[in-house]
Amino acid sequence: SLLTVRNRNISDQQTLDRTIWSPLPYGRLYWRIIPDLSVNANYYYSLSYPDLEKLSPVRYYCGNNIYRQGNPSLKAMSMHYVQGELDYKGILKLTYMHRFSDNDLTDYFVTTPSKEVIQTYANSDFQHSYVGLEGDFDIAGTINWHTTASYQWYRRSSDVTSANHGYTWYLDTQASYRFKSIGLLATASYLLSYDKRPLLQGKEYTQQETLAIGFR
């Protein structure tokens, strides 16, 4: 693909007219190594520009002594994305992903001398890696077991801040059993997610744990 962005600004003093051409390559590879084992690989490059709200220098009040303001110095974000998947019979998959972004957009907070907090936006360099294992098994035609487990790690930095690291643990598993004689399906699922994502100023924590049992 080819992305064309034209920026034209006309005023009484001068006219600014600039056109940017950006190639956006994309590639996909599929290889069946043996009848039961295959490899999928994907790569693409993307480029995105911040919207006008994030570029606007106008400041407005949000409440609780917090103001929001755009940053007209924001740059376009470019991202490279690479993913590979090893698939065995469609029942077991091993996935690896890595993406890295220049000028990734993130929130940034500034405190004024009068103790007001201004929420704005800043560019940063961001890296995100993922390794996951997914399995889907049928046992004797009555038991189905599906599990997804992954680990992710992150890195975020900028010219004015040191590198911040983070990680994610994720487990999602579900089992079902069918009582054929009475037409009853029993299911049990468990979800565990623990996120520690890096920001330019500190880290963001999220934790979720869910256990569910159902009958149909």
Side-chain angles (χ1 to χ4, degrees), residues 11 83 172:
S11 65
Q83 179 185 6
D172 184 5

Side-chain angles (χ1 to χ4, degrees), residues 169-187:
W169 291 99
Y170 181 85
L171 173 65
D172 184 5
T173 183
Q174 176 176 311
S176 62
Y177 180 79
R178 184 178 300 278
F179 298 87
K180 294 183 178 180
S181 58
I182 59 176
L184 178 67
L185 179 67
T187 62

Side-chain angles (χ1 to χ4, degrees), residues 102-116:
D102 294 329
N103 299 319
D104 189 74
L105 196 63
T106 184
D107 291 335
Y108 195 79
F109 297 89
V110 179
T111 304
T112 66
S114 57
K115 305 301 181 182
E116 297 173 343

Side-chain angles (χ1 to χ4, degrees), residues 83-167:
Q83 179 185 6
E85 181 184 85
L86 189 64
D87 187 330
Y88 177 70
K89 287 187 175 181
I91 60 176
L92 192 63
K93 297 179 181 180
L94 177 65
T95 303
Y96 173 77
M97 182 276 296
H98 179 72
R99 68 182 179 97
F100 57 94
S101 304
D102 294 329
N103 299 319
D104 189 74
L105 196 63
T106 184
D107 291 335
Y108 195 79
F109 297 89
V110 179
T111 304
T112 66
S114 57
K115 305 301 181 182
E116 297 173 343
V117 177
I118 300 175
Q119 180 183 356
T120 184
Y121 307 94
N123 291 122
S124 63
D125 295 331
F126 183 63
Q127 296 184 26
H128 176 200
S129 299
Y130 169 98
V131 58
L133 184 64
E134 180 179 356
D136 192 356
F137 307 95
D138 284 309
I139 305 173
T142 56
I143 300 176
N144 177 263
W145 176 39
H146 182 87
T147 297
T148 300
S150 67
Y151 176 72
Q152 306 175 54
W153 59 101
Y154 316 90
R155 183 183 186 274
R156 188 182 293 277
S157 63
S158 71
D159 296 336
V160 296
T161 61
S162 57
N164 233 343
H165 298 81
Y167 58 86

Side-chain angles (χ1 to χ4, degrees), residues 25-29 41-45 79-83 100:
Y26 170 83
R28 181 173 183 181
L29 171 69
N42 296 280
Y43 166 79
Y44 71 84
Y45 171 80
M79 182 185 71
H80 296 268
Y81 180 95
V82 180
Q83 179 185 6
F100 57 94

